[in-house]
Amino acid sequence: MTNSNLTPLERLKQSSAAEWQEYTQHAFVRQLGAATLPEEAFKHYLKQDYLFLVHFARAWGLAVYKSRNLRELRQSYASLMAIVDVEFDLHIEYCAKWGITEAELEVLPEGRATMAYTRYVLDAGNQGNLLDLHVALVPCLIGYAEIGQWLAAQDFTVMDESNPYLPWIKMYISDEFQEAAKAEIEWLNQALARVDEERFKELEAIFRDATRLEIDFWQAGLELKV
């Protein structure tokens, strides 16, 4: 029976509760918080995350195309510009602090886990509508915001300068990132509230698959898989 006290997005997450927990509390995330994550694993993740950003930008470009009114156009365009004009530069700058050059990023081989998730997102958006695309992207923006908050609340998380990954945690608990996630949550709750149960089931499947693929992305980082 459906819990009427849940928001539509909470219902979506509850439908894949085990997968969502495995993703948001993955060993990669835990080790990052505890400052025990091997440096090579984090650097591998950073490199693949650069490639992920390329396709993340493409996904928001697709969202612009799929938008049907001015509000949706503005939201999608703002997200696209934030990645292209801000996030790429920040990521390149952060990678440089870990000894990863921009030239190295430009010739990286794309990992299978990276390809699997990013292409899944684009396929979901191409085959479906704007809501399908947003649901496939839930683990990205909303997931990282939740991960940041979860890490900050854990006793094992090292929240001082002795943790080399503290800047990563701070980025995702920042007011700016959290506000962007809240805006996305608001949009999703409004959109999901308008669909019938059959359509909701379809979106649950997209959400579950996207979350499973994000789990694989973390695992690839731990195992240095390409």
Side-chain angles (χ1 to χ4, degrees):
M1 181 172 295
T2 300
N3 186 340
S4 59
N5 293 323
L6 297 177
T7 66
L9 179 58
E10 287 169 342
R11 277 188 60 201
L12 200 65
K13 290 195 289 185
Q14 187 183 65
S15 72
S16 298
E19 291 88 350
W20 188 250
Q21 181 174 334
E22 185 179 357
Y23 164 56
T24 56
Q25 301 178 25
H26 192 276
F28 185 100
V29 173
R30 290 173 175 272
Q31 290 178 32
L32 186 150
T36 58
L37 183 70
E39 181 178 317
E40 285 307 307
F42 188 67
K43 289 170 72 174
H44 180 85
Y45 158 78
L46 282 180
K47 293 174 184 178
Q48 290 300 309
D49 200 41
Y50 171 82
L51 297 176
F52 176 86
L53 271 178
V54 171
H55 298 293
F56 197 33
R58 292 178 65 207
W60 282 111
L62 179 59
V64 171
Y65 173 75
K66 292 279 183 173
S67 296
R68 291 178 174 269
N69 56 55
L70 185 57
R71 181 191 176 198
E72 291 176 348
L73 276 169
R74 283 176 170 161
Q75 179 188 18
S76 300
Y77 179 73
S79 297
L80 173 59
M81 289 300 98
I83 296 169
V84 174
D85 293 339
V86 179
E87 287 193 51
F88 269 117
D89 288 341
L90 290 175
H91 193 83
I92 291 167
E93 181 182 342
Y94 189 51
C95 283
K97 293 178 180 178
W98 285 87
I100 305 166
T101 67
E102 185 173 357
E104 185 179 357
L105 292 172
E106 289 176 353
V107 296
L108 283 174
E110 192 170 6
R112 283 171 287 183
T114 310
M115 282 190 278
Y117 180 46
T118 59
R119 301 320 189 273
Y120 179 80
V121 168
L122 289 167
D123 187 59
N126 274 308
Q127 289 194 40
N129 62 14
L130 188 61
L131 181 54
D132 293 277
L133 182 57
H134 274 261
V135 167
L137 288 168
V138 166
C140 307
L141 179 57
I142 295 172
Y144 270 53
E146 189 169 314
I147 287 167
Q149 288 181 322
W150 182 78
L151 278 176
Q154 303 310 304
D155 291 338
F156 64 75
T157 300
V158 179
M159 293 295 290
D160 60 45
E161 298 305 321
S162 66
N163 185 349
Y165 311 120
L166 182 62
W168 188 94
I169 299 171
K170 284 185 173 180
M171 179 171 18
Y172 294 113
I173 61 174
S174 68
D175 290 343
E176 183 180 22
F177 195 87
Q178 291 292 324
E179 284 302 315
K182 286 178 183 176
E184 178 68 2
I185 289 169
E186 181 182 350
W187 187 93
L188 275 163
N189 276 325
Q190 291 175 358
L192 289 168
R194 294 193 293 267
V195 306
D196 60 26
E197 285 302 308
E198 182 178 356
R199 173 71 169 130
F200 200 89
K201 291 293 182 185
E202 294 173 355
L203 294 167
E204 284 179 348
I206 292 173
F207 174 77
R208 181 173 56 254
D209 289 342
T211 303
R212 289 169 58 214
L213 290 166
E214 275 278 36
I215 292 168
D216 292 346
F217 191 74
W218 285 141
Q219 195 63 33
L222 274 184
E223 299 176 6
L224 307 180
K225 280 186 177 180
V226 177

